[in-house]
Amino acid sequence: AAGVIQSPRHLIKEKRETATLKCYPIPRHDTVYWYQQGPGQDPQFLISFYEKMQSDKGSIPDRFSAQQFSDYHSELNMSSLELGDSALYFCASSLSHLRTEAFFGQGTRLTVV
Amino acid sequence: AQKVTQAQTEISVVEKEDVTLDCVYETRDTTYYLFWYKQPPSGELVFLIRRNSFDEQNEISGRYSWNFQKSTSSFNFTITASQVVDSAVYFCALKAGTASKLTFGTGTRLQVTL
């Protein structure tokens, strides 16, 4: 079965650089979520989109922005990267933004040096 | 505000032992959903189960079983006859009210040895 696809899987950037993470949800899923997981921590919610509109916002820094496109894929744009942004970034998708379970991609491991 | 507490940081068991992972949640919403996810060493998050607040039936899936008790705000997860492949970090999570986000517990690292 098709799963959530994230690219790239690994990314190394220098401080103050920008990065773009991409997420392709499971077909027919209308909701996309972004989470950040630091080393040894639980995933922290960043932002979500339902039918291409932002539906919920968590602890996403102002330096980050995201959007969901007409084909439902989503991109997380990160600027002025800091060492503390090094983390595993997960995208998840679900059939509905309220009731159903979210299926996660394999994550993008971002390392800022 | 929502909160999920997984008091057990790490558990070590020998293969074939049964193990229970505890999860306690807090929410003021009457409609909410509880989840368990598994994160193996490879890093991905694997969905295991979803339970809504109106359904307190326990569930069994193979060696996995879940005990949901609203009276104690708990949603515990038991693995019967554990195997080495069960070694992972297990997260309990909560989605409540009209919020779309998941609130995760801090996770329990399960180590199963031979």
Side-chain angles (χ1 to χ4, degrees):
Chain A
V4 177
I5 306 296
Q6 289 187 247
S7 68
R9 293 289 312 281
H10 301 272
L11 191 58
I12 299 176
K13 289 285 186 178
E14 294 189 356
K15 281 194 304 184
R16 292 180 288 278
E17 283 192 320
T18 61
T20 297
L21 309 186
K22 296 186 178 183
C23 170
Y24 297 87
I26 293 172
R28 297 196 310 279
H29 280 193
D30 55 17
T31 305
V32 166
Y33 314 80
W34 286 97
Y35 288 81
Q36 177 192 57
Q37 186 180 27
Q41 298 181 358
D42 54 288
Q44 295 293 314
F45 172 74
L46 293 178
I47 195 166
S48 63
F49 294 88
Y50 167 61
E51 282 293 345
K52 293 154 279 185
M53 299 287 288
Q54 181 182 306
S55 61
D56 221 340
K57 195 171 182 180
S59 51
I60 184 168
D62 291 340
R63 299 177 289 108
F64 294 6
S65 65
Q67 58 181 324
Q68 187 178 29
F69 294 87
S70 57
D71 64 350
Y72 292 95
H73 95 272
S74 178
E75 295 184 3
L76 177 66
N77 299 294
M78 311 159 73
S79 63
S80 302
L81 287 169
E82 302 173 356
L83 295 178
D85 296 328
S86 296
L88 191 53
Y89 289 84
F90 285 106
C91 172
S93 73
S94 66
L95 261 177
S96 149
H97 67 303
L98 288 179
R99 293 186 306 278
T100 62
E101 55 273 20
F103 293 91
F104 284 77
Q106 292 191 296
T108 294
R109 186 168 296 283
L110 171 67
T111 302
V112 181
V113 298
Chain B
Q2 285 80 35
K3 186 178 178 183
V4 177
T5 301
Q6 294 180 255
Q8 304 150 307
T9 306
E10 289 193 39
I11 300 176
S12 290
V13 298
V14 177
E15 206 177 36
K16 296 189 178 63
E17 285 186 5
D18 299 347
V19 58
T20 295
L21 310 181
D22 298 333
C23 172
V24 174
Y25 63 92
E26 294 176 33
T27 180
R28 292 181 180 165
D29 291 290
T30 55
T31 300
Y32 53 89
Y33 301 86
L34 294 162
F35 306 80
W36 276 95
Y37 285 86
K38 173 182 179 181
Q39 188 171 40
S42 50
E44 71 270 28
L45 279 165
V46 179
F47 165 76
L48 296 178
I49 190 170
R50 170 178 64 101
R51 186 51 98 222
N52 73 53
S53 52
F54 302 110
D55 180 5
E56 283 193 75
Q57 275 193 327
N58 292 329
E59 180 154 340
I60 298 175
S61 175
R63 296 184 297 107
Y64 294 172
S65 63
W66 290 269
N67 185 312
F68 176 31
Q69 291 197 333
K70 287 179 76 170
S71 60
T72 55
S73 297
S74 64
F75 186 43
N76 297 336
F77 173 29
T78 297
I79 301 174
T80 303
S82 59
Q83 299 176 1
V84 172
V85 293
D86 295 326
S87 297
V89 178
Y90 290 85
F91 289 99
C92 181
L94 168 70
K95 181 185 286 192
T98 57
S100 62
K101 68 172 186 177
L102 285 167
T103 298
F104 285 85
T106 50
T108 297
R109 181 177 299 278
L110 174 65
Q111 185 72 36
V112 182
T113 55
L114 293 171

